[in-house]
Amino acid sequence: LVNTLTSGYWANQAVVYGNYAYLGGDYGHYWIVDITDPRSPQTVSFPSLNDPGGTRYTTDLLIVNKTLVTAENDRGIRFRDLTSPRVPVRTGTVSTSHWAQRIRWHEGLLYVSDYYKGLRVVDMGNRRDPMPAARCAVGGSLWSGAGVGDILLVTDYEQGLSVWDLSNPAAPVSLEAAGIPGRFSEIVVNGTRALASGYDEGVVMFDVTQPSAPARRGSVIISQVMYDAAMDGDIAYVAGGLGGLEVLDIADLDQPKRLAALPTPSSARSVARMGRYVFVGDFETGLLAYDCTDPSSPLLVGQCTLGAYPVDIVMKDTMALVAADREGILVVDCADPANPVLVHGFHPGGGTRTL
């Protein structure tokens, strides 16, 4: 960590464009920071979001083709021209039916999660006149999603698992006949298997050999709820919240078995693998390293105190990239799992919850 710049506001997201960082947050403003010298960032301004029809806060932001795109909750999506990066100029708006929550860019199209109204697709071919291209209603509250080729599997806490064909990204097609009723939250896919957190059902198994027609299989009860999972062949390692690290045998999807349950000091929220080692993000302790040579008896071999909440983990070679909420992104060297070392951190002043 080389420096911290305090805004006095809640800063929840950050994106970088050239020598400038743009942060979204609460209290009706976004934040522009000059990072020409990263060791001495300087505030440029706090432009107000409360222009005509404006809103009180942003929920997500990204930069596409010299345009700052902001999700502004019940005010939809706003577009600002960054030709002059110190003075963005609003150029357009696309309304959403409910709350614009998350935005992603893929192959010329903008994908927007519209909370209770599902997925909205926006064509940004003309950045000064972005046009809605499609809307995919999920009927409930869109929770999580995972892609398998051109197929998107979406979990909905009220409507179950829905299946979308994205072979034409501008016009997603709902494969309604393939939908599976239930109450699911997180979903994780690996190869031909998918695991989802099921309300009162523990962890639910799906066979996605044919992604356009997933088949629900068995389930297994765990101590609490699945927040994240990492799979290794027939073994699944589950971050189970207050239940700690749960290990499942998923060789038979119809009859999955619980092999082990290891409490963590507080709440296990994220998990990732590196060879025979499994790393768990525990809310109070930080990063925990387990030797899973014997999956039925994981052995805690090391830990790294982070001073932050590790809500997501991605392994890159021997490095763990940790989304640490208000502490930004932390980098932990795990070359020696018995002694993982925090080597770097990027703290833009906002919050990072996924990688």
Side-chain angles (χ1 to χ4, degrees), residues 96-162:
T96 50
S97 302
H98 203 244
W99 295 341
Q101 293 289 298
R102 293 290 179 263
I103 46 180
R104 295 292 183 269
W105 172 257
H106 180 65
E107 295 184 353
L109 296 170
L110 192 69
Y111 294 85
V112 183
S113 64
D114 192 12
Y115 202 49
Y116 277 102
K117 297 298 182 180
L119 179 70
R120 183 173 288 270
V121 186
V122 177
D123 185 347
M124 280 187 61
N126 180 352
R127 65 191 178 110
R128 292 186 176 276
D129 187 24
M131 298 293 294
R135 184 171 75 84
C136 313
V138 296
S141 53
L142 188 151
W143 188 284
S144 179
V148 187
D150 289 333
I151 299 298
L152 177 66
L153 305 176
V154 175
T155 54
D156 183 301
Y157 203 61
E158 299 174 8
Q159 302 295 322
L161 180 73
S162 60

Side-chain angles (χ1 to χ4, degrees), residues 36-318:
T36 302
D37 179 1
R39 295 181 178 275
S40 182
Q42 302 294 319
T43 293
V44 174
S45 63
F46 288 99
S48 174
L49 294 170
N50 293 322
D51 45 12
T55 189
R56 187 167 178 266
Y57 59 92
T58 61
T59 53
D60 201 4
L61 47 79
L62 54 75
I63 292 175
V64 178
N65 299 335
K66 297 183 179 180
T67 300
L68 176 66
V69 185
T70 55
E72 299 184 13
N73 206 13
D74 58 340
R75 299 295 183 178
I77 308 299
R78 299 293 177 88
F79 302 85
R80 292 174 173 86
D81 187 348
L82 295 180
T83 299
S84 176
R86 298 176 69 92
V87 188
V89 177
R90 187 153 73 89
T91 58
T93 300
V94 171
S95 298
T96 50
S97 302
H98 203 244
W99 295 341
Q101 293 289 298
R102 293 290 179 263
I103 46 180
R104 295 292 183 269
W105 172 257
H106 180 65
E107 295 184 353
L109 296 170
L110 192 69
Y111 294 85
V112 183
S113 64
D114 192 12
Y115 202 49
Y116 277 102
K117 297 298 182 180
L119 179 70
R120 183 173 288 270
V121 186
V122 177
D123 185 347
M124 280 187 61
N126 180 352
R127 65 191 178 110
R128 292 186 176 276
D129 187 24
M131 298 293 294
R135 184 171 75 84
C136 313
V138 296
S141 53
L142 188 151
W143 188 284
S144 179
V148 187
D150 289 333
I151 299 298
L152 177 66
L153 305 176
V154 175
T155 54
D156 183 301
Y157 203 61
E158 299 174 8
Q159 302 295 322
L161 180 73
S162 60
V163 184
W164 296 87
D165 184 344
L166 300 183
S167 53
N168 179 1
V173 176
S174 172
L175 306 179
E176 294 186 17
I180 297 175
R183 299 181 69 181
F184 310 119
S185 52
E186 298 299 331
I187 184 169
V188 177
V189 174
N190 183 279
T192 61
R193 298 181 173 110
L195 309 183
S197 181
Y199 180 77
D200 281 347
E201 296 183 272
V203 181
V204 181
M205 310 288 136
F206 295 90
D207 183 343
V208 293
T209 301
Q210 185 178 349
S212 59
R216 176 171 174 157
R217 305 289 284 275
S219 62
V220 58
I221 297 296
I222 60 175
S223 299
Q224 199 201 28
V225 62
M226 183 186 93
Y227 284 95
D228 193 12
M231 286 178 264
D232 178 21
D234 294 334
I235 303 297
Y237 300 94
V238 174
L242 296 176
L245 173 63
E246 305 258 5
V247 185
L248 309 178
D249 180 343
I250 57 172
D252 182 351
L253 291 180
D254 292 316
Q255 297 184 350
K257 301 174 183 177
R258 193 176 177 206
L259 293 181
L262 286 80
T264 56
S266 61
S267 179
R269 294 300 184 93
S270 51
V271 62
R273 286 182 49 252
M274 182 185 76
R276 73 173 190 269
Y277 294 97
V278 170
F279 296 88
V280 176
D282 181 74
F283 254 32
E284 291 185 2
T285 309
L287 193 66
L288 306 175
Y290 293 88
D291 185 337
C292 295
T293 301
D294 179 1
S296 65
S297 184
L299 178 65
L300 178 64
V301 294
Q303 68 181 57
C304 178
T305 300
L306 301 177
Y309 296 150
V311 291
D312 195 14
I313 305 171
V314 171
M315 297 302 301
K316 176 64 175 176
D317 299 324
T318 61

